[in-house]
Amino acid sequence: MAGGGRGRRGGGSGSALAGYLQAIRARVDAAKRYPQMAQQRRQEGTAVVSFRLTPSGELVAEPVVSRSSGYRQLDDAAVRAVSRGAPYPRFPLDPSEMRAIEIPVKFYLR
């Protein structure tokens, strides 16, 4: 599902899907907590988390890391952020179009 609708112009399902993915990313970012120990160790990275949702926005199962940040603490924090962000908005398109979602969860010190 990630990246669906790219390359289309105008409205339609591509823009609805893009808006839906943006809303999910915003919920995950709001739920994200940078682990204190990872901050102290100056660990940074991006974990990509894969998960499936019901049409109503509930998690189907526990999210999983599909690409590691290189640090277990950051990977675990990314999975927790996806779990804490639920429930997500209702899927805006036909439920038969739902696919697994992959979201990059970024941890960078400022």
Side-chain angles (χ1 to χ4, degrees):
M1 179 192 277
R6 287 186 180 159
R8 292 184 183 185
R9 291 183 176 217
S13 64
S15 61
L17 183 57
Y20 182 70
L21 292 173
Q22 184 176 6
I24 290 174
R25 283 187 201 101
R27 295 282 285 267
V28 170
D29 282 344
K32 179 175 64 177
R33 306 288 182 271
Y34 210 126
Q36 185 175 0
M37 187 61 73
Q39 288 181 27
Q40 291 171 351
R41 293 178 179 168
R42 311 289 299 164
Q43 295 174 345
E44 297 181 325
T46 300
V48 178
V49 180
S50 179
F51 56 99
R52 295 181 81 76
L53 298 174
T54 65
S56 63
E58 300 289 333
L59 285 169
V60 171
E62 183 73 16
V64 296
V65 174
S66 56
R67 191 171 70 230
S68 176
S69 66
Y71 298 102
R72 172 96 188 229
Q73 286 186 322
L74 298 183
D75 293 349
D76 291 347
V79 168
R80 283 192 301 274
V82 171
S83 294
R84 271 197 299 268
Y88 293 95
R90 289 179 95 37
F91 188 64
L93 303 172
D94 184 323
S96 68
E97 295 184 42
M98 291 193 77
R99 303 286 182 266
I101 298 170
E102 284 193 326
I103 297 289
V105 183
K106 300 176 182 183
F107 293 92
Y108 289 98
L109 299 167
R110 295 178 188 197

